[in-house]
Amino acid sequence: MAEQEEDFSSLPLPDRFVHKNWKVRKEGYEDAAKAFQSTPDESSPVFRPFLLDSGLWKGAVADSNVAAQQEGINALCSFLKYGGRDGCMRTRNSTITPIFEKGLSSTRAATKQSSLEALLLYVELDKADPVIEELLPALSNKQPKIIAATLSAFTSIYHAYGVKIVDPKPVLKALPKIFGHADKNVRAEASNLVVELYRWLREAIKTLFWNDLKPVQQQDLEKLFEVVKQEPHPKQERLLRTQQAAVAAAPAAGGGNDYEGEAEEDEGEAEVDVFDLAEPVDVISKIPPDFYENLASTKWKDRKEALDALYAVVKVDRIKDGSFDEMISVFAKCMKDANIAVVTVAANCVESLAKGLRKGFARYRGRIMSPMLDRLKEKKQSVADALGAALDAVFASTSLSDCLEEILEFLKHKNPQVKLETLRFLIRCLKTTRVAPSKAETKSIADAATKLLTESTEVTRSGGAEILGTLMKIMSERAMNPYLEGLDDIRKTKIKEYFDAAEVKAKDKPKPVAPPPKAAPAPQKKVFGKKSATGVKKAPPRAATPQEDPPPPPPTTKPAANRGIPSKLGGVPRSGLAAPSGALKLQKRLAGPAGASVPILSSPQRNIPTPTFDDEAIPPPKLGLSGRGLAGRPLGKPVSAHSELIAPPAASGMSAIERAELEELRAEKERLQKLSDDLRADKSRLASQINELQNQNAQLIEDHTRDVLSIKAKETQLVRARSDAEAAEQTVQKQQREMERLKRELSRVARAATPPMGMDAGDHIYRDAGISMNGTNHIVSGVDRYESSRASRELGYQRARSYMSSPSEEKENGGLDAQRGKLGSPESRGRDVSDEARSRGDSPGRGQEGRDGVTGQPIESWRRAAEVTSQLKARIEQMKARQGLARPH
């Protein structure tokens, strides 16, 4: 009981934060929260112990007792709320991890709410990036409830601050893994987070993670998106401390609502931009290696395929900056291509490249815009649409001032199609530009549009009226009235209709009128003359009246007269002439304290002028009282009253020297302005010359490429012709060799057909048969003629086959032809017959005997002749069978 009654309130708060008793810790958390709320400012000493030891808050947030933990997180929220940015930055790294591990996943709703409030305060006091970085590891935690609670915290953070304050890219990159989690509560919280991000990003959210989701998940999310599409664009519900300070300071200047409205408008426009969410892609390394080679091909299909391959590479949301000079030159050349399909794909490539580079594409504008504007002469609408989209993308990377000169030049083009499409491009530029044109640019646009009102076609006249109406929407009606004075009422009515219907993003805000500068103090001139006498009140200065300055008299010097000598009566010294009031006024203006003279305020670049003396500096001679005689007389000639030096005050309060200097400065300004105008004109002329030279260079490159391709084609044709000539020469040589071979064969066959000097058995048989009987002789001679005609026919067939056969067939059939010639020759046949006769034992003497004995036996001779003939035919058929030849029909 004694321990329960013991009072620990006297202990310091840091000691109570680490006490082993949870009730002491709980009371310490409660007392700390009250102490923080009662502090006057962020520099109160109450915060100091907790700033020095951030571990106190780590233990408070992760307290083992749930009741004490709830009060500890409440104390942290109070500390952050009243301790300011310093407390946030010192404790952030120690507390966020225990917050998502034990606070967000707590079973107590109050603890969850306090933990979420602590995270929101961490974002509010500094920035969101460190908080998001500390929370992202929680998405890889093993416990599903911690992941689900962290996703819910992300949803609340984006709902409160929006995606302009909290970068969505790190969370979006982690979502595909979360959607693949096994726990349904985790997937449900991930869907809620995606829907919340879709409220801010719309379709731009799909650029980072959408393709990594399953089709079923995409369909479920699309159903949830349909509900969000009907809602208005969200606004930031909770402001950062810096924004709160700006809003608090804005009412003092009378513009609190304007600040908030502009912030919301800028936020709504900037968040849906896909370019900011996408990662830069290095497209230069992905260009096909044979791209430029294929693009130089003479076949339009090769060129189009090369551009299609490049278009697939550059069609990304964001492109890494690099050197694209060669690619832009290729695109400019493609704009002059004869095939419209190539022009269309090249325009698509330019559009994707300009959208991917944004401001990085501005340096290539001068090389690609003119060729595209010139190609607008194409009447096919698909080509005009592709070129228009490319021109819009190029304009988005630059400004109206950069593009206006070329646009106005092409508005004067002789081709009506180019003029019409350029006019439409200018209208789109005026509607999308965010910077209002200057007065000189407004005049040039209005003059060009006024000329278009007199065109012969109705479309062009309507376009001119739309240009004036859109320009009026930007510059206001009052600013455009001088340009509409000479127009009739019908045209003014049409311009007013376009003015009412136009939607622009730029507004000409007149500059605030600066207050008139304070009048500079009148230049003071040092007076060399008498001092003001005491006791004499000077006349008040009169209003200055402008009058012409008299020529200054020649300066005179008189040391004795530079200082006035007071009289014995205490008054001013007498002078022969009364001092005019103007002189008194000048003296009063130039006199300093106690009558001291004030030095002249002159320009630091101007030499000090020769001092001038006023009328009192040269007094007339004194009479009587002074008794000085000649010492009191002036050395100079006495000055009359009407010619006395009186410095008339100028209207501007400047002396003649300063006015002269001002005139010199004005003359110098005019000279510099004229020089600036000349330089601008030279710059414009040189720019036009550069553009013309670039076009000429592109034309020369194109001609050179065409000549090189033509030369290569001619060389290819020449090589082919040489190859054909060599093949023909080889064929001729083969034919000549074949002819020689046939001649040799013919001569050999002719020699073989000639009967030899000696007679063999066959010839003796034929001769016996011919001597004994004419009929037998006729039969034998008929057989000989048949055999000779058959040999000639075989020779003709052989020649025809040799002419029709190829060299390879000649080689393959060479041995057979030789064997055929050898077997088919009459000489060989004669040898075979003689061999047969010898085998039968016939001899010349025996033949003679038979011939003598056959004279009386004709029947026996007939038999022998028929026998020999049948033997010869059988031998011929055997030779044919050996040679593989059939008898010709």
Side-chain angles (χ1 to χ4, degrees), residues 138-152 178 181 186 189:
L139 300 179
S140 302
N141 199 285
K142 295 181 179 180
Q143 301 182 26
K145 65 176 183 178
I146 294 180
I147 301 176
T150 306
L151 290 172
S152 178
I178 301 300
H181 201 278
V186 173
E189 290 295 338

Side-chain angles (χ1 to χ4, degrees), residues 213-400:
L213 301 181
K214 297 178 180 179
V216 178
Q217 295 173 338
Q218 293 179 358
Q219 294 175 3
D220 295 340
L221 290 176
E222 287 289 354
K223 294 178 182 179
L224 298 175
F225 292 163
E226 291 297 329
V227 181
V228 179
K229 289 178 181 178
Q230 309 300 328
E231 300 177 1
H233 199 279
K235 298 180 180 179
Q236 183 179 344
E237 296 181 357
R238 187 162 178 167
L239 300 179
L240 302 178
R241 285 290 173 91
T242 54
Q243 293 176 329
Q244 294 174 12
V247 172
N257 295 332
D258 295 340
Y259 168 81
E260 187 173 357
E262 290 175 2
E264 292 172 356
E265 181 180 357
D266 295 341
E267 178 182 354
E269 292 175 354
E271 288 159 359
V272 296
D273 194 355
V274 182
F275 184 81
D276 297 330
L277 298 177
E279 293 292 333
V281 179
D282 185 11
V283 300
I284 297 179
S285 60
K286 298 181 179 180
I287 297 176
D290 56 346
F291 168 69
Y292 296 103
E293 181 180 354
N294 293 338
L295 204 59
S297 175
T298 56
K299 298 181 180 179
W300 68 269
K301 289 186 178 180
D302 295 343
R303 300 196 298 271
K304 183 179 180 298
E305 290 175 359
L307 289 172
D308 286 335
L310 179 65
Y311 180 66
V313 172
V314 299
K315 192 179 180 181
V316 293
D317 296 324
R318 190 170 184 177
I319 297 176
K320 185 179 180 181
D321 199 4
S323 178
F324 296 93
D325 297 272
E326 186 176 2
M327 191 181 298
I328 296 299
S329 301
V330 166
F331 291 153
K333 181 181 177 182
C334 289
M335 292 302 156
K336 301 178 181 179
D337 200 290
N339 190 275
I340 59 174
V342 176
V343 177
T344 304
V345 181
N348 294 336
C349 292
V350 172
E351 178 187 2
S352 299
L353 192 63
K355 287 181 178 179
L357 289 175
R358 290 288 175 92
K359 298 300 179 184
F361 192 83
R363 61 178 179 267
Y364 307 115
R365 179 204 59 81
R367 300 168 58 183
I368 192 64
M369 179 170 281
S370 294
M372 287 196 297
L373 288 172
D374 187 63
R375 188 63 192 213
L376 289 173
K377 61 188 176 183
E378 192 64 45
K379 294 183 179 180
K380 194 168 184 179
Q381 191 60 36
S382 60
V383 182
D385 293 341
L387 291 171
L391 287 170
D392 293 341
V394 172
F395 174 76
S397 66
T398 57
S399 63
L400 181 63

Side-chain angles (χ1 to χ4, degrees), residues 762-763 765-767 769-770 774-787 864-866 868-869 872:
D763 293 337
I765 292 172
Y766 283 111
R767 184 178 293 122
N774 293 332
T776 305
N777 190 19
H778 287 301
I779 292 172
V780 175
S781 62
V783 172
D784 291 337
R785 284 196 301 271
Y786 172 74
E787 293 298 331
R864 290 185 58 190
V868 171
T869 302
L872 289 174

Side-chain angles (χ1 to χ4, degrees), residues 551-557 613 618:
T556 58
T557 57
F613 305 96
I618 309 175

Side-chain angles (χ1 to χ4, degrees), residues 593-627:
S597 59
V598 181
I600 298 174
L601 298 176
S602 60
S603 173
Q605 297 180 357
R606 180 168 52 87
N607 296 328
I608 299 176
T610 305
T612 59
F613 305 96
D614 71 359
D615 56 340
E616 294 183 359
I618 309 175
K622 300 178 182 179
L623 300 175
L625 294 177
S626 62

Side-chain angles (χ1 to χ4, degrees), residues 739-756 791-792 794-795 798-799 814-829 831 883:
M739 288 175 63
E740 292 176 358
R741 187 182 66 79
L742 291 175
K743 287 179 181 179
R744 289 194 301 270
E745 183 69 18
L746 184 60
S747 61
R748 188 175 63 81
V749 169
R751 287 195 304 270
T754 304
S792 63
E794 289 178 3
L795 181 60
Q798 188 176 12
R799 289 181 182 177
L816 182 60
D817 293 341
Q819 183 181 1
R820 186 182 303 163
K822 181 177 180 182
L823 293 176
S825 62
E827 185 178 357
S828 62
R829 287 198 301 271
R831 283 195 298 269
Q883 296 174 3

Side-chain angles (χ1 to χ4, degrees), residues 528-531 561 575 579 583-584 587 613-619 644:
F528 295 88
K530 298 180 181 179
K531 291 183 180 180
S575 175
L584 293 177
Q587 288 179 0
F613 305 96
D614 71 359
D615 56 340
E616 294 183 359
I618 309 175
E644 189 174 0

Side-chain angles (χ1 to χ4, degrees), residues 450-766:
T450 306
K451 292 179 181 178
L452 293 175
L453 294 175
T454 60
E455 288 288 332
S456 58
T457 58
E458 172 61 25
V459 181
T460 308
R461 293 197 299 271
S462 300
E466 188 173 359
I467 289 176
L468 291 173
T470 309
L471 190 61
M472 183 185 295
K473 193 78 170 183
I474 298 175
M475 305 303 296
S476 76
E477 295 184 60
R478 181 179 178 184
M480 291 296 295
N481 284 334
Y483 306 109
L484 307 180
E485 289 180 355
L487 303 179
D488 53 21
D489 295 338
I490 298 176
R491 290 173 179 171
K492 287 182 180 179
T493 304
K494 198 164 189 178
I495 292 171
K496 188 72 166 88
E497 292 175 358
Y498 284 115
F499 164 74
D500 296 334
E503 295 181 2
V504 297
K505 297 182 180 180
K507 289 289 185 181
D508 184 36
K509 298 179 180 180
K511 296 180 181 179
V513 180
K518 296 182 180 180
Q524 300 176 354
K525 185 182 288 186
K526 188 172 182 180
V527 178
F528 295 88
K530 298 180 181 179
K531 291 183 180 180
S532 301
T534 58
V536 179
K537 186 176 181 180
K538 297 183 179 180
R542 293 184 300 178
T545 57
Q547 54 184 338
E548 191 175 358
D549 295 337
T556 58
T557 57
K558 184 178 180 182
N562 284 344
R563 183 179 301 175
I565 301 174
S567 65
K568 296 178 181 180
L569 299 177
V572 296
R574 291 180 297 175
S575 175
L577 297 173
S581 60
L584 293 177
K585 176 175 70 66
L586 184 63
Q587 288 179 0
K588 183 177 180 70
R589 188 172 66 249
L590 299 178
S597 59
V598 181
I600 298 174
L601 298 176
S602 60
S603 173
Q605 297 180 357
R606 180 168 52 87
N607 296 328
I608 299 176
T610 305
T612 59
F613 305 96
D614 71 359
D615 56 340
E616 294 183 359
I618 309 175
K622 300 178 182 179
L623 300 175
L625 294 177
S626 62
R628 291 181 179 273
L630 295 175
R633 297 180 182 179
L635 296 178
K637 186 177 181 180
V639 182
S640 61
H642 65 275
S643 62
E644 189 174 0
L645 176 61
I646 300 175
S652 60
M654 294 188 298
S655 65
I657 298 176
E658 290 174 340
R659 280 197 300 274
E661 184 178 1
L662 179 61
E663 292 298 330
E664 291 178 1
L665 292 176
R666 286 175 178 171
E668 183 69 16
K669 178 183 176 182
E670 292 178 359
R671 188 181 65 81
L672 292 177
Q673 190 172 3
K674 184 177 180 181
L675 181 61
S676 178
D677 294 340
D678 295 341
L679 291 176
R680 286 196 187 97
D682 292 341
K683 180 181 177 182
S684 301
R685 179 176 54 79
L686 292 175
S688 62
Q689 291 179 358
I690 290 173
N691 191 13
E692 183 178 356
L693 290 175
Q694 287 177 348
N695 293 335
Q696 293 178 0
N697 187 25
Q699 185 64 33
L700 291 175
I701 292 174
E702 182 179 2
D703 296 341
H704 175 69
T705 305
R706 186 167 55 249
D707 295 340
V708 169
L709 293 176
S710 177
I711 291 172
K712 289 183 178 179
K714 297 295 183 183
E715 289 178 352
T716 304
Q717 294 177 1
L718 182 60
V719 170
R720 290 178 179 175
R722 287 176 179 173
S723 177
D724 295 342
E726 291 177 358
E729 187 177 357
Q730 292 177 0
T731 304
V732 169
Q733 291 177 358
K734 289 179 181 179
Q735 294 294 338
Q736 289 178 353
R737 289 195 297 270
E738 181 66 17
M739 288 175 63
E740 292 176 358
R741 187 182 66 79
L742 291 175
K743 287 179 181 179
R744 289 194 301 270
E745 183 69 18
L746 184 60
S747 61
R748 188 175 63 81
V749 169
R751 287 195 304 270
T754 304
M757 296 300 294
M759 293 183 182
D760 56 1
D763 293 337
H764 181 70
I765 292 172
Y766 283 111

